[in-house]
Amino acid sequence: MKALVELFWFKYSQLQHAVKIGNEKLISMLDREIEPALTAVLQKEASDVSELRSQFQFVVDLLREESEDRACVLRQAHNLKLLLDRYFGTDEAARPFGLNQPDGARPAAAPRIVEDGLLNEAILDSLPDRVAVITTDYRYLYSNPLNAERFSEKPIDLVGRHVVEFIGVQRFESRVKRHLDRCFAGEVVEYDYISSRRGNAMTRCRMTPCMSAAGNVLGAILVLQEMLESRDPMAA
């Protein structure tokens, strides 16, 4: 994965230089080479968590690099969705970029949110609760619109960013990190906390390990539900 990513950025930088100096012949040649390089990165099936992170980070970096070009942003956002569908979606959606599984191949099992709910973007987006997927390096891999709205962000703008940016170092170190670490170790974690953003309303957070088809923990699925009942903020 690393070699494919580095090859793409090498060609990308060459193309940017060719555009800058106005070398039409070089631009034409690199245009033909850069698309296969991009496809190679996106079609590569991640073999471990490190490669998975690299693949998602690659798309996020490309989104930022092309942020001023709306057409490119929409395309890379689509590519990000395809990656989400491949690794966390339903079996039917898990074949992006025109790839087909060989006959008789066992489809990868999609990780579950709770009970029978599959980790599928369409399902997550429609849930009445806030939902996020956090990687093992404490960065957002996914956020549904309701969760992103809480931070006055769009879901795509949270991807790749560290949770500390949104909850602060003190809350992260004193509570959230230890719960995430327990979840990364394979434990389902559930706890309540007081949300100062919501007028000291009680929120319940449930963390479920997000597993790959091979049984490796890719991160944690967070479902945050606001509780109707109030509780003494000083209570344990």
Side-chain angles (χ1 to χ4, degrees), residues 90-230:
T90 59
D91 295 338
E92 291 78 11
R95 302 176 190 176
F97 315 112
L99 295 180
N100 292 311
Q101 291 177 314
D103 293 339
R106 182 179 179 181
R112 299 178 180 273
I113 314 174
V114 285
E115 302 303 329
D116 294 328
L118 294 176
L119 182 53
N120 175 274
E121 189 175 2
I123 296 174
L124 296 180
D125 285 351
S126 65
L127 289 177
D129 301 318
R130 293 165 54 199
V131 183
V133 180
I134 307 298
T135 63
T136 52
D137 60 350
Y138 314 107
R139 296 181 183 276
Y140 278 95
L141 181 61
Y142 165 85
S143 169
N144 72 349
L146 189 61
N147 183 68
E149 184 181 335
R150 178 60 51 84
F151 302 112
S152 301
E153 299 276 1
K154 296 178 181 178
I156 191 66
D157 293 333
L158 268 67
V159 176
R161 295 167 67 180
H162 201 287
V163 296
V164 165
E165 290 188 48
F166 305 96
I167 66 173
V169 175
Q170 182 176 357
R171 181 179 162 195
F172 175 74
E173 293 291 346
S174 65
R175 181 176 64 217
V176 176
K177 184 178 183 297
R178 72 170 185 269
H179 290 317
L180 282 171
D181 289 343
R182 287 169 58 196
C183 188
F184 297 153
E187 182 180 348
V188 175
V189 180
E190 188 170 313
Y191 66 97
D192 298 341
Y193 68 93
I194 298 294
S195 175
S196 58
R197 288 174 175 264
R198 306 295 292 176
N200 288 334
M202 180 68 67
T203 300
R204 174 161 296 166
C205 178
R206 180 180 175 86
M207 299 180 175
T208 306
C210 180
M211 311 296 291
S212 71
N216 299 316
V217 176
L218 302 177
I221 308 161
L222 277 60
V223 179
L224 299 100
Q225 181 181 32
E226 291 187 0
M227 310 301 291
L228 294 178
E229 71 273 13
S230 60

Side-chain angles (χ1 to χ4, degrees), residues 47-96:
S47 60
D48 53 33
V49 175
S50 177
E51 287 197 347
L52 183 71
R53 290 180 193 151
S54 296
Q55 203 167 33
F56 275 93
Q57 189 62 52
F58 168 77
V59 178
V60 171
D61 289 343
L62 197 51
L63 267 167
R64 290 173 178 164
E65 191 71 29
E66 301 182 336
S67 59
E68 296 181 3
D69 189 325
R70 177 171 173 77
C72 290
V73 167
L74 290 175
R75 182 188 181 195
Q76 300 313 326
H78 177 67
N79 285 335
L80 184 60
K81 181 182 182 301
L82 291 178
L83 289 179
L84 285 167
D85 285 342
R86 174 197 287 172
Y87 295 113
F88 307 116
T90 59
D91 295 338
E92 291 78 11
R95 302 176 190 176

